[in-house]
Every structure is written in C-alpha cells, then in structure tokens.
Amino acid sequence: MAGQINRKTTKSDAAIEAQRLACLKALERKLLWLSSWMIHNANHLRPSRDGLKVGGHQASSASLVTLMTALYFSVLRPQDRIAVKPHASPVFHAIQYLLGNQSQEKLEAFRAFGGAQSYPSRTKDGDDVDFSTGSVGLGVAMTSFASLVQDYVSLKGWLGADQPEGRMVALVGDAELDEGNVYEALLEGWKHDLRNVWWVIDYNRQSLDAVVSDRLFGRFDSLFDTMGWRVVTLKYGKKLQAAFEGPGGTALQGWIDDCPNSLYSALVFQGGAAWRRQLAADLGAEPGIEALLEWHDDAALADLMTNLAGHDLETVLEAFEAIDDDRPTCFIAYTIKGFGLPFAGHKDNHAGLMNEAQMASFQARNGIAAGQEWEPFAGLELPAEDLRSFLSAVPFNARGARRYQAQRVAVPADLALPEVPRLSTQEGFGRILAEIARDDGPLAERIVTTSPDVTVSTNLGAWVNRRGIFDRHPREDVFREQQVVSAQRWMMSPEGQHIELGIAENNLFLLLGALGLSQSLFGVRLLPVGTLYDPFIQRGLDALNYACYQDARFMLVATPSGITLGPEGGAHQSISSPLIGLAQDGLAAFEPAFVDELAAIMAWGFDYLQRDGSGEAAADWLRDVKGGSVYLRLSTRPLDQLQRDLDAELRRQIIAGGYWLRPPAAGAELALAYAGVVAPEALAAHDELLEDMPGAGLLAVTSADRLNAGWHAAERARQSGIPEARSHVEALLAPLAPDAGLVTLVDGHPASLSWLGSVRGHQVQALGVEHFGQSGDLDDLYRHYRIDVAAILDACAAAALQRL
Ligand SMILES: Cc1ncc(C[n+]2csc(CCOP(=O)(O)OP(=O)(O)O)c2C)c(N)n1
Ligand SMILES: [Mg+2]
C-alpha cells in the first residue's frame, strides 16, 4: 500500500481499472492473432514434406480467447491448475509465449516434431501444461479428481505452509458434455463433497459436425445444481445488456432467447445485413425496433448481436471475480465459434482455416506489418512498455514454472511374505498389503488405495480395516456401532487411506491419474494402488491411456483375470488384457504365478513408481531409470506355493520378465514357456515331458511386457551399431538348440507369448484363449479352451514332430 501511495503518479482506482482492462483487451486481440497465425503458419507457410494436412483449430481457439485472457492474465493464481479444451491449444501456447514461458521457435513448429503440441501435453510440451487434454471429456473430469487429491494431501497436513489450496479449472468445449465420463465424475464428485473446482463451458453451441441441440442445454443448469454446484450463466455482453434497456429491448431479448441455435449461428456467419433482414421480418412491428435498426449500421448491428458474454471481457471478469468461496462452480459462457474470424458461426468451421486472402485481410485489420507476425506487441495501440509491465505482474505467472518435486519414499527390498502353502496371487496381494499396513513407516503412510466398488472382492479389505477410508468428514461405521458382526470396518475420516469409488472404471483411472501426479501437482509423494476386475480395464482403457500419457504413477492390480475365474461368469473372462499390458506405453505389466514373485514385483514396483530419470544409465531399455506405472494381472485360483528363497539373481530375473523354473539342458530340443496362473498345468506337463525329453526346460514368464521391451530395445541397439547388445529373453533362450520347439501357454490371448519364437527363430506352438464366454469349472474350461495338461502335451508332440 505504502508503495502505491508513494508512486509518482497516484492513479485513482478507476484509472487503474481502466488501464487493466485496456491491457487485457490488447492481449485478447493478440491471443486471437497469435493463435490464428500459429495455425496459419503451420498449414500455409511451413513447407510440407509429406502432403499431409497439418490442421489446427482456428475457430475453436477463437471461441475461448476472451475467457482464457481473463483467466490466465488476471483471475488465476499460481496454485490453480487448468485443463484446457484440446482445440484451444494454440491459445494456451500463445499465452505462455506472452508470459515468457514458450519460445517463438516452438510456436513456429506448432504440430511439427518437437514443436508446440496439437493438444496441451504435460509430457511433450515444455510450457507448464497442468493436465494434458485431447480425448474430450477426460481433462474435464480430471480436474475433479485432482481436487479430491488436493483435499487428500491437504487434510493430511502435507501441503507446505507456502502452498495455498488451488482451484482445479477445466475449460470445457460444450460438446465434451456429451461424454458419459463427465457425468460419472460429477456423481463421484458429489459423493466426495467436491470443492475448489471450476468448469468453464465454452458454449458456442457447435461440436465437430454440427450445431448442438437447443433443448439439451436447458437441462444443464438443473443437472449441475442437483449435484451441488453453483451455476453461473454468462449470456449477454454489456452492449446487449444496454440494448435490452433501450427502445425495443424487451422484444429483442425475447427474440434472442427464443432463437434456435442453428439460425443464430447462420446469422452470425452472414453478418449485419442478414441480421437486419431477420430482425425486421420477425420484430419490425415491435415498438422501438425500427429505431434500433436505424441507429446501427450493418457492422454495428453485427457487433451488437454477437456481443455474447463469453466475448465480453468485463462481464467475464466480473463473473469470475465474484466467486470467493470453494463451492464447485460451472460457468456456462455463451460464445461464438470462430468469433472475430471470417467463418464465425458457420456450422462447418471446426477444421476451417483462413485462406491466404482472408489471413492477409485479418493481418491488415490487426495492423501487423509483414515480418512482425510473431512480435508480441505489434499492432497494439498500448505502449509495449505498459504491456510488458502488465505481463510481468500477472499473478498466475508470479512463481514461474509450477511443477513440484517430491522426495522419494524408501521401499524395503523385501516385503513380508505370507507363510501360506496354498494361495492365490490375489489373496497374496491382500496379505502383503495388510502386512505393510501394520507398519508405521513411510511406505505405509504414502500408499493410498482406491477401487470402484470392488474393494472387498479384490482383497483390499484387510488394508482398509487397518488404514480406514478417506473422507473429508469423520463418519462412524454404523454397522459397527450397531454391533452388527462384519469382517469389514469402514471408518471414514480425513486420515483414511482408501478412496472408495462407485462402479465406474473411468473414474478409477482418472483418480489414479490424479493421485499419480500428486508429486508434481502438489509436491506430495503418494503411492497409489488401484484395484479392479481385469476385464473392466477395457471399460476405462482411454482413461488409463490418458493417465499413462501424463506420466502419472500408480500400481494397477487387476483380478480376477482370464477364464480362470471359472464359474463366476463367461462375460467377465479377460483375453486381451495381456496384450494391453504388452502394448500400453508407460505401464510395466506383470503376471506372476507365485506369491513370492508377486512380493518381489511389488517391492520393486513401489520404487519404480517413483523413478524420474535421474539415475545413471547408458541405455534405459526397460525404462528402469525413467520409471513408470505397474500393472499386475492376478488371479483368484489358489496355487501350491514353491518352497524356496529368492536370491538376488532370481529376483532380478523375475523383474526382468522371466526365469527358468526348470532350466533346459544345453542344446535342448524343447521348452515350455508359461505365464501366470497356468503354472500347475505347465509343471505337470513338464513332469511328463521329462520322461521323453529329459533336457526340456520350463520357462516362467513373469512379464511378457518387459521381456518384449528388452528384446526390441536390444534389436534397436544392434541396428545402431552396438553388436554386443543382448536382452534378457535372448540370454534365456540361448541354451536351446537353434531348431528347438517352443510351446507357450497363457490364460489370455496366445499372441502375448507366441512372439517368443521370433527371438531366436524357434518354432512355436502357442496355447491360449482366443474365444471366450463359457462358465465352468477349471477342468472343463481348460480342456475346452485347450490350455490343460493334455493340450500342452499335444502341443509338445507337435513341436517335436516339426523338427523331424
Ligand atoms: C474422445 C474423443 N472423441 C472424438 C474426438 C474428436 N473431436 C475433436 S473436437 C470434437 C468436438 C468438439 O466440440 P466442442 O467440445 O464443442 O469444442 P469446440 O470446437 O466447439 O470449441 C470432436 C468430436 C476427440 N478429440 N475425443
Ligand atoms: Mg462447441
């Protein structure tokens, strides 16, 4: 304050406000220019080498320019986190450019290799993207879960003293509201008493293909309202509001309110003369309308009729600035797709690009001289110095880049093993976690579990009993109070460490994504573990991919899996999930058979989740330095456990993806490779096999994914001049005769292991499950789908025959 009073020019509040508005309006114009130019440059000026369309969305960007100007340059604070509508990526990059966080070079390379990304990307863009977007609807929901995570770490007292809680803000295309995952998140948010979330809906009434239904939007207010949200509708700008007060104003407002979306859009596109014709025809007889039409020439009339609130900076600022609490708020901001551009309002404008002539006239209108296109302040009336100093004081940018680092949590090399002779991997998982829960160390403290209504049936019960359920408000377990006997104690409190979700796998993956970014978003290390039934990975697959794309770190535990769930239902048998594990970037997939393997993988996994590329490595074939997320495909089938102690070498091999459970003789003619729960069949078949082929080996594959990744990496290394490169799977298969037969076995799609034959050119007989859907006990199912002992022996015989 004192500083302000002493300043040479003491400005009145009104003058300061006028200057702020002038700066914001100048920057708004600049953002429209830069975003349009960035796309134009990429499509028309950058030489094309492949003849492919580059694309970019000038109209979608224009739609959000005013709202983003207000938010980024005035309303947002450094602790706020934003998911930007994917197609407004150019506006986001232009904002970061003006704030000094993005280079001209990257803007010139928009959508080119290494340039600013098509859709904001946490991992591929360097300009401080909070949440990636691209697959519509997911970024929107992500903000809800990020807010839940913020509550989680805040209520545990883990936010630093200088870390106020932020708002999680989504800039939402109106067509994104067609995505069901948005409503799943809305419901879940309500259950968790969501706060600190803003969804700003860019209501341009257009999607990709068309103008959206009029009737639908009337329903949104009540929908959000029911879920406890405040709804703020931003419909009319200041000019229209003033016109409504003048002659003919009531009739005009009534006409606009009733105007169908498609007619409105068409008139926006056609401009002043068309507005005049339509208004004269529809309202000519109303008192005052004739005068109103007379006072406005065509340009002024078009200007008035398109003065929707979402393009009226003052209205937008007032609405945002009026909110001073943490209630979730949905702003429905009326906008025009392509506002300020020649194709404004045209229903086909989604991928529309200004042509050379249109761009030339747009450039002239912006007063930008040739060669000045990237100049931050060219063509603006305000002195560059004023704009520079305004930008340097923008609150959002006050702390610079907003990514945190969090300390790693030490993980013991050994996790305590349950001493049970016969056990499923699912039960083993539950017991290992329950044992961790007994401890008071940092590992137990930072694990947070979550599950979409399958907490008990995926064996998290014991963990939850010890660690409690997270809720912002302490709640007693009513059944317990009423002394109803139950194995589950569901105490809820801010100290709880399990987040219970309703059945919606999209929500599980979005929450895992948000929990798994906590170290970067909030500076708090969490070790998220999410459980679900393996087949339902596919329900949330896009959200899983989205979480991985953002490099969120979590352990996904999927159980039961495959046809081995037996009588519980054919529809739940998962076949393709091992292939998902093999192919999903950012996810190291494991399918252990025995619980000692599982314990070794979990101990490694909790550390792997925390790696960030800072270790030493000449090559990071398996991303062991970079780290990633972990997927464990588990089963409910109890298996006799092997009586053994894992030494360091065996552990290494389990993590690398496989080991010889029974090593082959040198030059062996046959080997059997199995993954996961079919180990007993593999062992029994191998026993029989040894009678005829004493040298045959039995390979336990704990991670087809990592064996495969190592193999490809070694091949790439050899191709690029490192002849001695050799992967784990190549070393494993080396003792076999070059023409040995290989039989592979998995309760999943056979292709997940059949590639092993390509490693050294062995002939493969691949057993697995390609068709599914039949309930039954394991005897029947394994026989029916040919993964039983008899089928394995048939395959071994065929492999032997092939050699003759
Ligand atoms: C899951 C998904 N499906 C389809 C698309 C292709 N797509 C991109 S934008 C879009 C419609 C966008 O409309 P809206 O959200 O209203 O944004 P606007 O461009 O109107 O601002 C579609 C269908 C996508 N990106 N993601
Ligand atoms: Mg739209």
Side-chain angles (χ1 to χ4, degrees):
M1 269 296 139
Q4 263 188 9
I5 292 164
N6 289 338
R7 268 163 49 173
K8 219 166 48 201
T9 49
T10 336
K11 286 188 178 172
S12 70
D13 285 354
I16 292 172
E17 179 56 15
Q19 173 73 359
R20 176 176 86 120
L21 259 184
C23 287
L24 287 171
K25 284 188 175 162
L27 294 171
E28 178 192 23
R29 266 186 65 195
K30 183 49 72 177
L31 287 184
L32 181 61
W33 163 256
L34 279 175
S35 54
S36 304
W37 177 252
M38 195 184 309
I39 297 167
H40 185 80
N41 177 70
N43 284 275
H44 294 282
L45 305 180
R46 205 167 61 213
S48 166
R49 292 183 298 186
D50 51 16
L52 287 186
K53 162 187 145 210
V54 178
H57 301 82
Q58 288 173 331
S60 297
S61 295
S63 192
L64 262 183
V65 158
T66 312
L67 290 156
M68 288 176 73
T69 302
L71 286 168
Y72 278 93
F73 292 138
S74 189
V75 178
L76 295 176
R77 304 153 304 168
Q79 63 270 30
D80 298 332
R81 301 280 174 183
I82 307 93
V84 177
K85 179 185 81 169
H87 301 82
S89 166
V91 185
F92 171 79
H93 293 306
I95 288 171
Q96 295 293 8
Y97 175 61
L98 294 176
L99 290 174
N101 305 326
Q102 176 63 294
S103 69
Q104 178 179 331
E105 188 192 358
K106 297 264 185 203
L107 299 190
E108 290 188 54
F110 174 60
R111 293 190 166 212
F113 190 73
Q117 297 293 297
S118 321
Y119 310 120
S121 168
R122 267 187 78 80
T123 48
K124 304 289 187 284
D125 274 317
D127 52 352
D128 209 22
V129 172
D130 290 320
F131 303 113
S132 302
T133 53
S135 181
V136 299
L138 295 180
V140 184
M142 183 70 173
T143 55
S144 289
F145 291 103
S147 161
L148 178 57
V149 174
Q150 179 174 256
D151 278 345
Y152 185 91
V153 297
S154 172
L155 288 167
K156 299 237 176 348
W158 292 338
L159 286 185
D162 58 343
Q163 261 182 283
E165 288 176 0
R167 285 190 180 118
M168 305 295 130
V169 181
L171 305 178
V172 186
D174 47 357
E176 294 196 67
L177 296 178
D178 284 335
E179 287 286 4
N181 83 275
V182 170
Y183 303 95
E184 295 175 1
L186 206 55
L187 287 173
E188 197 60 49
W190 183 83
K191 292 185 212 163
H192 292 277
D193 195 12
L194 190 70
R195 60 202 186 104
N196 286 317
V197 179
W198 281 9
W199 287 359
V200 180
I201 299 171
D202 175 7
Y203 186 32
N204 59 27
R205 289 142 296 159
Q206 283 186 247
S207 59
L208 192 160
D209 281 340
V211 175
V212 303
S213 157
D214 294 286
R215 290 176 55 245
L216 190 59
F217 238 78
R219 318 303 304 168
F220 282 112
D221 317 32
S222 50
L223 217 143
F224 278 94
D225 190 57
T226 310
M227 290 295 144
W229 287 55
R230 174 198 291 116
V231 177
V232 178
T233 303
L234 299 171
K235 193 161 185 184
Y236 299 116
K238 298 276 178 198
K239 284 183 210 162
L240 270 175
Q241 288 172 33
F244 296 157
E245 299 301 316
T250 312
L252 182 69
Q253 181 166 9
W255 184 89
I256 300 182
D257 281 342
D258 293 342
C259 184
N261 287 343
S262 32
L263 175 61
Y264 195 88
S265 296
L267 293 170
V268 168
F269 176 70
Q270 293 172 85
W275 283 113
R276 186 176 304 283
R277 266 196 313 278
Q278 191 74 39
L279 289 173
D282 292 352
L283 293 180
E286 296 287 338
I289 291 293
E290 204 181 319
L292 184 135
L293 293 179
E294 234 165 64
W295 292 335
H296 293 81
D297 64 13
D298 280 356
L301 188 62
D303 197 38
L304 175 68
M305 295 303 289
T306 56
N307 179 235
L308 298 184
H311 299 299
D312 193 89
L313 205 48
E314 286 164 270
T315 311
V316 165
L317 285 166
E318 277 167 19
F320 288 144
E321 284 164 359
I323 310 290
D324 60 0
D325 58 19
D326 62 8
R327 186 169 168 205
T329 301
C330 168
F331 299 89
I332 301 179
Y334 279 67
T335 54
I336 289 169
K337 193 155 169 173
F339 186 74
L341 305 181
F343 37 59
H346 196 292
K347 71 182 176 65
D348 304 335
N349 65 11
H350 184 75
L353 296 174
M354 280 186 265
N355 61 29
E356 299 278 2
Q358 287 170 324
M359 182 44 91
S361 106
F362 184 59
Q363 179 160 6
R365 235 184 321 133
N366 276 281
I368 293 172
Q372 299 285 297
E373 291 87 355
W374 298 107
E375 281 307 307
F377 308 120
L380 302 178
E381 277 126 36
L382 287 185
E385 201 34 59
D386 288 10
L387 289 166
R388 221 171 270 127
S389 82
F390 179 85
L391 284 171
S392 69
V394 160
F396 180 68
N397 206 31
R399 289 212 222 130
R402 299 159 314 118
R403 293 214 176 174
Y404 289 97
Q405 308 246 306
Q407 287 225 316
R408 283 208 202 172
V409 172
V411 182
D414 284 332
L415 295 176
L417 258 186
E419 300 212 349
V420 182
R422 192 173 159 76
L423 196 63
S424 70
T425 44
Q426 170 174 315
E427 200 184 342
F429 160 74
R431 286 174 180 247
I432 290 168
L433 214 54
E435 204 47 45
I436 296 174
R438 281 180 193 280
D439 198 78
D440 270 340
L443 176 64
E445 182 189 73
R446 293 307 170 116
I447 289 176
V448 46
T449 57
T450 180
S451 184
D453 202 26
V454 290
T455 298
V456 176
S457 51
T458 55
N459 256 277
L460 279 177
W463 162 267
V464 174
N465 283 347
R466 296 218 166 102
R467 291 279 157 175
I469 294 189
F470 172 75
D471 197 289
R472 284 218 288 129
H473 314 283
R475 296 179 213 271
E476 285 306 319
D477 181 343
V478 176
F479 278 79
R480 199 170 160 74
E481 276 187 342
Q482 295 292 325
Q483 300 182 340
V484 177
V485 178
S486 163
Q488 316 300 333
R489 290 191 296 279
W490 286 48
M491 294 283 293
M492 301 187 184
S493 76
E495 288 81 45
Q497 282 181 250
H498 174 77
I499 301 180
E500 179 70 7
L501 296 172
I503 322 172
E505 286 71 18
N506 267 306
N507 282 344
L508 171 74
F509 289 117
L510 287 162
L511 177 57
L512 286 175
L515 289 165
L517 288 175
S518 171
Q519 71 284 357
S520 175
L521 295 175
F522 307 116
V524 178
R525 176 76 62 191
L526 295 176
L527 299 170
V529 177
T531 66
L532 86 169
Y533 296 173
D534 195 54
F536 303 128
I537 286 181
Q538 291 179 99
R539 173 75 77 108
L541 195 51
D542 196 27
L544 167 63
N545 183 52
Y546 176 65
C548 290
Y549 178 58
Q550 303 202 66
D551 202 19
R553 300 300 176 84
F554 51 86
M555 191 177 283
L556 178 64
V557 181
T559 176
S561 58
I563 58 170
T564 303
L565 63 80
E568 289 196 60
H572 288 184
Q573 295 162 353
S574 58
I575 292 181
S576 59
S577 51
L579 294 174
I580 293 171
L582 200 68
Q584 178 61 54
D585 193 9
L587 196 63
F590 292 86
E591 185 161 0
F594 301 106
V595 175
D596 56 0
E597 297 168 352
L598 173 67
I601 293 164
M602 286 176 70
W604 171 86
F606 284 127
D607 187 67
Y608 181 72
L609 301 187
Q610 305 183 60
R611 298 182 193 172
D612 59 5
S614 57
E616 288 279 317
D620 192 16
W621 287 1
L622 296 183
R623 302 203 160 183
D624 282 343
V625 179
K626 182 178 182 292
S629 286
V630 175
Y631 160 34
L632 308 178
R633 188 174 190 251
L634 305 186
S635 173
T636 41
R637 180 186 182 192
L639 300 190
D640 291 332
Q641 298 298 303
L642 303 177
Q643 299 310 310
R644 60 181 176 180
D645 286 320
L646 303 185
D647 61 17
E649 174 55 16
L650 187 48
R651 277 169 186 281
R652 185 191 70 75
Q653 296 203 29
I654 288 169
I655 303 305
Y659 63 94
W660 287 109
L661 186 55
R662 293 175 177 171
E669 293 159 14
L670 187 78
L672 175 56
Y674 75 93
V677 72
V678 286
E681 284 64 33
L683 280 161
H686 188 259
D687 283 342
E688 288 197 33
L689 204 58
L690 287 182
E691 290 168 16
D692 295 331
M693 293 187 161
L698 179 61
L699 183 68
V701 176
T702 46
S703 172
D705 179 27
R706 284 170 60 87
L707 286 185
N708 186 265
W711 173 46
H712 289 306
E715 290 201 310
R716 277 193 300 273
R718 287 190 292 266
Q719 287 156 18
S720 43
I722 310 174
E724 68 279 13
R726 195 153 95 140
S727 65
H728 183 52
V729 68
E730 288 163 331
L732 283 173
L733 298 179
L736 302 182
D739 62 347
L742 204 55
V743 174
T744 62
L745 173 70
V746 57
D747 178 4
H749 196 280
S752 46
L753 289 185
S754 60
W755 60 270
L756 284 170
S758 301
V759 174
R760 297 188 79 94
H762 295 124
Q763 289 264 13
V764 169
Q765 304 285 324
L767 302 178
V769 185
E770 286 170 276
H771 310 287
F772 76 109
Q774 175 70 53
S775 305
D777 67 10
L778 291 191
D779 282 12
D780 281 341
L781 291 179
Y782 280 18
R783 184 169 6 92
H784 181 74
Y785 292 108
R786 293 193 54 79
I787 55 172
D788 62 348
V789 176
I792 299 169
L793 291 172
D794 288 349
C796 290
L801 274 179
Q802 258 172 1
R803 303 184 67 246
L804 299 177

